[in-house]
Amino acid sequence: MKKEHILIIRFSALGDVAMTVPVVKALAEQYPEVHFTMLSRGFARPLFDELAPNVSFMEANLQDEYHGVKGLNALYRRLAAKHFTAIADLHNVLRSDYLRLRFNLGRFRVEHIDKHRMGKRRLVAKNNKVLEQQPTAIENYCEVFRKLGYPIECDPAPRSPLPAPLSSLLSPRNVSASIGLAPFAAHRGKIYPRERMEQVVSQLCELHPDCRILLFGGGKREMEVFSQWCNRYPQCTNASAQCNGLKEELDAMSRLDVMISMDSANMHLASLVGIPVVSIWGATHPYAGFMGFGQKEENAVQTDLPCRPCSIYGNKPCHRGDYACLYGIEPSTIINKVEKILSERK
């Protein structure tokens, strides 16, 4: 009998791919006789390389090597040669649709994600908005595998015993609290105002003079802000600059007491290592289904405005023009939630 080998397709941004990890891990544990291959962009490899013995990773660069229809045909030929027994499309966009078409024509067993686009359109409608919880990304992913004949129970990651630190940044220190901060996101509608976030940093440093605050983010703009904060507040360390890649960043996050994050990839990465996240939501909303896996809704910081949410991904212009959804959040609200988590973890 042919051994079952399932191809899982999910490209897109880091946060979207990170949300597949709990599902792939659950599949690997509950179906140890099945092999699972994750197809994604190269940056995601550290999330899957050591996930389980029956999980492997394939990298595909759709911008260069496999660009356009010709490139997708070449990628299909490469994949078809692996003789997968089933295909799980967790992306459902034009490029994965084309690959799915080729697999269907090749008589492969194929299922794809239902993104519940109609419900999300009602959620962000300017008029006649329907504020209703949509199925989460995790639930949508699990449904794909149920249709393929692999139902699973997917549980949040527990906080496991920590391995030896990978760098001096992570070495144990006598600190009262270890706090992560990821203050940036891809779109303006998801970024808490910089001056207010600095108030959060300043007040946390006053409340916990011997704490450490690890800053996570990438890009020139982020590095400039982090450099300024590290100069002003000795408790701050630019973790992303000191860590050597995603694996070390995950290791650093696993040693936190709490993470403060926008609705961004770092919320999902902290969730993977079982760290509570105080998440900040502006134009977007947890009801869209992208809350960090295993996170408590009570730790989500958001304002109650009739226009919210106005965007699923935070990339639409503000209807009001003033981003009241973000400017209406007081730094004290964020700090109070952090303090509550810190008190519970003592």
Side-chain angles (χ1 to χ4, degrees), residues 227-246:
S227 178
Q228 293 170 13
W229 288 356
C230 289
N231 287 334
R232 291 179 193 143
Y233 310 101
Q235 295 93 332
C236 288
T237 299
N238 186 341
S240 292
Q242 294 198 29
C243 287
N244 183 22
L246 180 58

Side-chain angles (χ1 to χ4, degrees), residues 51-64:
L51 191 62
N54 56 331
V55 173
S56 56
F57 183 84
M58 286 183 68
E59 177 179 344
N61 185 338
L62 301 186
Q63 302 302 318
D64 299 314

Side-chain angles (χ1 to χ4, degrees), residues 106-168:
R107 298 186 180 277
F108 287 83
R109 190 157 48 113
V110 182
E111 291 291 348
H112 68 278
I113 188 173
D114 179 354
K115 293 185 174 181
H116 300 277
R117 290 187 172 99
M118 182 60 71
K120 289 175 180 175
R121 280 197 287 269
R122 290 195 292 261
L123 183 66
V124 299
K126 197 168 184 179
N127 300 305
N128 302 315
K129 184 185 294 293
V130 180
L131 198 62
E132 187 175 78
Q133 176 69 60
Q134 299 302 300
T136 69
I138 300 291
E139 291 168 343
N140 291 336
Y141 293 155
C142 288
E143 179 64 12
V144 174
F145 294 102
R146 187 195 66 77
K147 290 179 180 176
L148 284 173
Y150 302 93
I152 55 171
E153 295 293 328
C154 196
D155 299 318
R159 190 172 190 183
S160 57
L162 299 177
L166 296 174
S167 73
S168 59

Side-chain angles (χ1 to χ4, degrees), residues 88-221:
D89 176 9
L90 304 187
H91 203 170
N92 193 12
V93 294
L94 191 59
R95 286 173 292 192
S96 69
D97 290 349
Y98 183 79
L99 288 174
R100 199 168 71 239
L101 172 65
R102 292 298 311 267
F103 278 117
N104 276 316
L105 291 173
R107 298 186 180 277
F108 287 83
R109 190 157 48 113
V110 182
E111 291 291 348
H112 68 278
I113 188 173
D114 179 354
K115 293 185 174 181
H116 300 277
R117 290 187 172 99
M118 182 60 71
K120 289 175 180 175
R121 280 197 287 269
R122 290 195 292 261
L123 183 66
V124 299
K126 197 168 184 179
N127 300 305
N128 302 315
K129 184 185 294 293
V130 180
L131 198 62
E132 187 175 78
Q133 176 69 60
Q134 299 302 300
T136 69
I138 300 291
E139 291 168 343
N140 291 336
Y141 293 155
C142 288
E143 179 64 12
V144 174
F145 294 102
R146 187 195 66 77
K147 290 179 180 176
L148 284 173
Y150 302 93
I152 55 171
E153 295 293 328
C154 196
D155 299 318
R159 190 172 190 183
S160 57
L162 299 177
L166 296 174
S167 73
S168 59
L169 165 70
L170 311 175
S171 297
R173 301 180 188 177
N174 294 321
V175 295
S176 60
S178 188
I179 302 167
L181 176 58
F184 294 99
H187 305 292
R188 182 183 175 187
K190 299 201 291 186
I191 302 176
Y192 190 53
R194 172 181 161 184
E195 64 278 7
R196 293 202 164 202
M197 186 57 83
E198 184 169 356
Q199 291 178 42
V200 172
V201 173
S202 175
Q203 291 178 41
L204 284 173
C205 290
E206 290 179 9
L207 287 167
H208 304 279
D210 55 350
C211 74
R212 70 171 179 178
I213 299 177
L214 299 186
L215 306 175
F216 295 91
K220 183 178 178 181
R221 178 186 59 164

Side-chain angles (χ1 to χ4, degrees), residues 37 117 140 146 222-223 237 248 255 286 330 339:
T37 293
R117 290 187 172 99
N140 291 336
R146 187 195 66 77
E222 287 88 339
M223 292 301 105
T237 299
E248 285 200 10
R255 297 162 195 279
E330 293 296 330
E339 290 298 295

Side-chain angles (χ1 to χ4, degrees), residues 18-40:
M19 283 187 282
T20 68
V21 173
V23 177
V24 177
K25 188 173 187 295
L27 285 163
E29 291 174 348
Q30 294 168 42
Y31 297 95
E33 73 284 0
V34 180
H35 194 89
F36 301 92
T37 293
M38 186 72 195
L39 176 69
S40 190

